[in-house]
Structure formats: C-alpha cells, structure tokens
Amino acid sequence: MRKILACTIGNCVHVAGTMNFLSLAEKENYNTEFIGIGLSIDQLIKSIKMKKPDMVGLSYRLTPEPLVQILKELKAKILEEDLQGINWLFGGTEPTGKVAEKFDIFNKIFYGYEDIDDVICFLKGRE
C-alpha cells in the first residue's frame, strides 16, 4: 500500500487542507499519517527516514517570505539525505505555492483553489 506522510512546516498551524487531502488519500487506498504541526525540517527528515513513505505532503499557509529559508533548508537536506526518490507535495496559498515552485523540489503543488476532483485524479495517478 502506498504511504503518505503529511505535516505543516515552519510555524504554520493551518491543518484543514492537509487533513482533507489525507482523508481523500485514504479513500483512494493510501496509508496516511499526519506527523505534526509546525515541524522543523530536521523533525520531518527524521520521520521520513524512520517511516519510509512514498509521498510527503507539506503545508504552509502563512506569509511567503519565511518559507524561502525553510525550503532552502529542505532542499539541502533532501540532497544530503538522498531523499529525491520520494514524491514531494506542497499545499498552501497561491503566494506560498509560487515560492515553492522556485525550489524544484515538489512533484505537485496545490494552491488551495483546486477542485476536489482534480485532487482525486492526482491521487489516482491522472492529471
């Protein structure tokens, strides 16, 4: 069974979108786990190494400027820990999604305005 880990990063506490995504994923036969609110990159990497997911979903819905440093750190850790084989997902607002685009980390970025059918299609492997 495909496994998805998800969390919010930085100091973001907005979990509704993440929980909705995980609920949809469970209905599509994914094994899902929400691993926390406002995780540091080190906490995230530790969980990934321990749980070995197929996908990691990160959420950040605050102002975009602090996200730049968070994603710089994430990209460095992905390379350092050889975690490029994971499907990386990002969910946020349009401004934070635009920041995420610049880092060439994420296989899929959700901007918060996607139709539920689009999300389900993604989970089924169709765009």
Side-chain angles (χ1 to χ4, degrees), residues 3 22 36 42 44 61 77 79 87 93 98 104-105 112:
K3 184 181 212 173
L22 291 178
D42 285 338
L44 171 65
R61 297 186 55 84
K77 290 284 186 176
L79 295 172
N87 229 341
T93 60
K98 297 259 186 230
D104 196 32
I105 295 170

Side-chain angles (χ1 to χ4, degrees), residues 65 73 75 105 108 122:
E65 294 78 15
E73 182 182 350
K75 186 167 187 169
I105 295 170
K108 179 69 175 173
F122 169 78

Side-chain angles (χ1 to χ4, degrees), residues 79-97:
L79 295 172
E80 181 182 314
E81 300 290 342
D82 195 27
L83 298 173
Q84 300 92 320
I86 293 172
N87 229 341
W88 291 90
L89 314 174
F90 181 86
T93 60
E94 188 170 357
T96 60

Side-chain angles (χ1 to χ4, degrees), residues 18-19 38 42 58 64 91-93 95 97 111:
T18 304
M19 300 313 273
D42 285 338
L58 306 179
T93 60
Y111 299 88

Side-chain angles (χ1 to χ4, degrees), residues 111-127:
Y111 299 88
Y113 50 69
E114 293 78 11
D115 186 271
I116 191 169
D117 292 330
D118 295 333
V119 177
I120 292 169
C121 281
F122 169 78
L123 289 165
K124 289 182 176 185
R126 303 189 305 255
E127 285 291 325

Side-chain angles (χ1 to χ4, degrees), residues 31-43:
N31 178 1
T32 68
E33 184 177 348
F34 182 75
I35 57 173
I37 296 171
L39 291 188
S40 71
I41 298 305
D42 285 338
Q43 290 170 311

Side-chain angles (χ1 to χ4, degrees), residues 36-73:
I37 296 171
L39 291 188
S40 71
I41 298 305
D42 285 338
Q43 290 170 311
L44 171 65
I45 298 299
K46 183 178 177 183
S47 289
I48 290 169
K49 290 171 70 176
M50 193 169 64
K51 298 172 186 286
K52 302 186 183 342
D54 302 295
M55 290 186 195
V56 174
L58 306 179
S59 177
Y60 185 90
R61 297 186 55 84
L62 302 175
T63 55
E65 294 78 15
L67 182 59
V68 172
Q69 188 57 42
I70 293 167
L71 294 183
K72 278 183 186 176
E73 182 182 350

